[in-house]
Amino acid sequence: MVDLTTPRDLVGYGRTVPDPRWPGGARIAVQFVVNYEEGGESSILDGDKASESLLSEIVGAQPWPGQRNLNMESIYEYGSRSGFWRLWRMFTSRNVPVTVYGVTLAMARNPDAVAAMKEAGWEIASHGYRWLEYKDVPEEEERAHIREAVRLHTALTGSHPLGMYQGKPSLNTLKLVLEEGGFVYSSDSYADELPFWVPGLAPDQPHLIIPYTLDANDMRFATPQGFNSGDQFFTYLKDSFDVLYEEGAEGRPKMMNIGLHCRLVGRPGRAAALARFIDYVLSKDKVWIARRIEIARHWHENHHPGVGR
C-alpha cells in the first residue's frame, strides 16, 4: 500500500480561503507577466548540445543535436526585435503595470529592451541565467547559474531581482534560491490562486510563493492542445476573469495571472486579442492590476505567519 504521508501539500487553504484584502477592496488582483527569453534559449552557439525546440510557431519541433536551427532562431529573434516593442507600446499606452520574467543572458543581449522596461516602471524579476531545462543539471551547475543570474541582473538593471521564476526547475531550485537570498518571493508553482508560504531556511523565515499559470498563457498557441486563434485566447482569458471577478463579489477574492511571450502574443493577430482583454479588464471597477512584487509586499505586510501578524 502507498504511504499516505507525502511532502506535497494537497490541501492548501481548503474551504477556508483567506480574504486577501486587496487594496481598495478589489474583487480580483490581475497580474500580467511578459517572459523575456529571446537570446537565452538553447543554442549550440552558447555551448548547448542542441538547438531550441519549445514554444515557437513550429509546433512539435525537436532539438537538433549539434546543429543550429535557423528557422527557430529567427522566430525567437522576432520576439526581441519586434514582438517586445508591440507589447511595450500596448501596456505603456494604457499605463498598465507589468512584471517581466527576464532571462538574464537574453536581457544582456538587448540593453535597449532593458532600458525600456525600466523606463516603463516594470518589475524585472529573474527568469534565471538561461532558459534551460534544469531537471538533469547538476546542483553545483544550477547554483552557479543562479549566482550568475543575480550578478548579471544586478549589473544590467541596477538592483537585485526580488522575484525568481526558474521556469523549468529542478528538485534543487527552491533550496538554491533560498541559499542565494535576497528574493522576496518565487513563482515556480502553479498550485493556487493566492500566494502561500513554504518553509524557509529557518522556522521564523518562511518563503513566499506567488503561483504562476500555464493555462491563461499564450504558450498554448504553441502546443498541440491549445489556442488556434486570438478569439480563443480572448474568450479563455475573459471567462477566467469573469469567474474570479464573481467569486470576489461573493467574498472570495483571488489572483489572476496572465503569461505572455514576446515571440508568441507579440504577433499582430494575437496581440489584437490581448489588447481587447486588457481593455475589458480596464472597463471594470474593483480590479487591482499589480506587479508581482506589489502582491508580494502586500502579502508580507498583511498575511505573514509571524507572531503578531
Side-chain angles (χ1 to χ4, degrees):
M1 299 296 290
V2 174
D3 189 345
L4 294 181
T5 61
T6 175
R8 300 168 61 196
D9 181 357
L10 298 169
V11 177
Y13 291 116
R15 67 177 68 191
T16 56
V17 178
D19 181 354
R21 302 195 297 277
W22 298 134
R27 294 163 58 172
I28 185 173
V30 175
Q31 208 290 295
F32 293 95
V33 167
V34 171
N35 291 269
Y36 192 83
E37 301 162 343
E38 292 81 3
E41 76 276 12
S42 295
S43 170
I44 66 168
L45 296 175
D46 294 325
D48 301 316
K49 295 179 180 179
S51 58
E52 184 56 68
S53 62
L54 295 178
L55 298 189
S56 81
E57 304 301 323
I58 313 172
V59 178
Q62 297 299 311
W64 289 5
Q67 297 184 61
R68 295 174 63 187
N69 184 334
L70 298 185
N71 287 341
M72 185 67 70
E73 288 181 15
S74 65
I75 288 170
Y76 271 73
E77 289 158 13
Y78 178 91
S80 58
R81 292 164 55 117
S82 186
F84 170 80
W85 296 107
R86 178 167 289 115
L87 297 182
W88 183 79
R89 294 184 180 98
M90 182 184 300
F91 283 106
T92 57
S93 66
R94 292 167 171 81
N95 197 30
V96 171
V98 165
T99 289
V100 175
Y101 283 164
V103 173
T104 325
L105 184 60
M107 294 195 300
R109 287 171 165 165
N110 194 347
D112 195 27
V114 177
M117 297 171 195
K118 295 177 64 179
E119 177 186 325
W122 292 359
E123 175 198 4
I124 309 177
S126 180
H127 197 358
Y129 176 57
R130 301 285 312 284
W131 195 64
L132 302 175
E133 180 69 74
Y134 280 94
K135 67 181 179 65
D136 297 320
V137 171
E139 181 176 343
E140 280 305 314
E141 183 177 346
E142 185 178 7
R143 177 180 284 110
H145 277 208
I146 291 174
R147 185 174 298 129
E148 178 61 10
V150 169
R151 185 200 68 78
L152 187 54
H153 185 112
T154 303
L156 291 168
T157 69
S159 60
H160 189 293
L162 300 180
M164 176 64 176
Y165 175 67
Q166 188 80 295
K168 292 180 280 189
S170 73
L171 290 176
N172 299 312
T173 299
L174 180 58
K175 179 187 72 170
L176 296 175
V177 168
L178 294 174
E179 289 177 357
E180 177 64 30
F183 294 102
V184 178
Y185 71 92
S186 60
S187 292
D188 282 305
S189 174
Y190 313 97
D192 214 302
E193 293 164 342
L194 286 174
F196 59 91
W197 300 94
V198 296
L201 295 179
D204 62 343
Q205 297 176 357
H207 180 68
L208 184 64
I209 303 293
I210 300 183
Y212 187 44
T213 180
L214 296 181
D215 69 307
N217 192 310
D218 68 355
M219 66 175 286
R220 292 184 59 196
F221 282 114
T223 59
Q225 188 280 316
F227 305 124
N228 292 318
S229 70
D231 284 344
Q232 291 178 344
F233 185 47
F234 172 78
T235 298
Y236 191 88
L237 294 182
K238 180 180 178 296
D239 285 351
S240 300
F241 176 90
D242 288 346
V243 168
L244 293 171
Y245 193 67
E246 183 60 31
E247 290 181 359
E250 297 168 351
R252 299 185 304 278
K254 299 288 184 61
M255 176 179 67
M256 179 179 177
N257 302 288
I258 299 97
L260 308 169
H261 298 76
C262 304
R263 63 192 176 278
L264 295 177
V265 80
R267 296 280 178 175
R270 298 168 184 151
L274 175 61
R276 288 200 301 274
F277 177 70
I278 295 172
D279 291 340
Y280 179 74
V281 172
L282 291 173
S283 74
K284 301 292 185 177
D285 61 3
K286 297 291 184 181
V287 175
W288 183 36
I289 305 177
R291 302 177 305 167
R292 293 178 83 77
I293 186 59
E294 292 161 344
I295 293 172
R297 286 171 174 154
H298 176 83
W299 215 260
H300 273 270
E301 292 168 4
N302 294 277
H303 302 283
H304 196 283
V307 176
R309 296 289 182 128

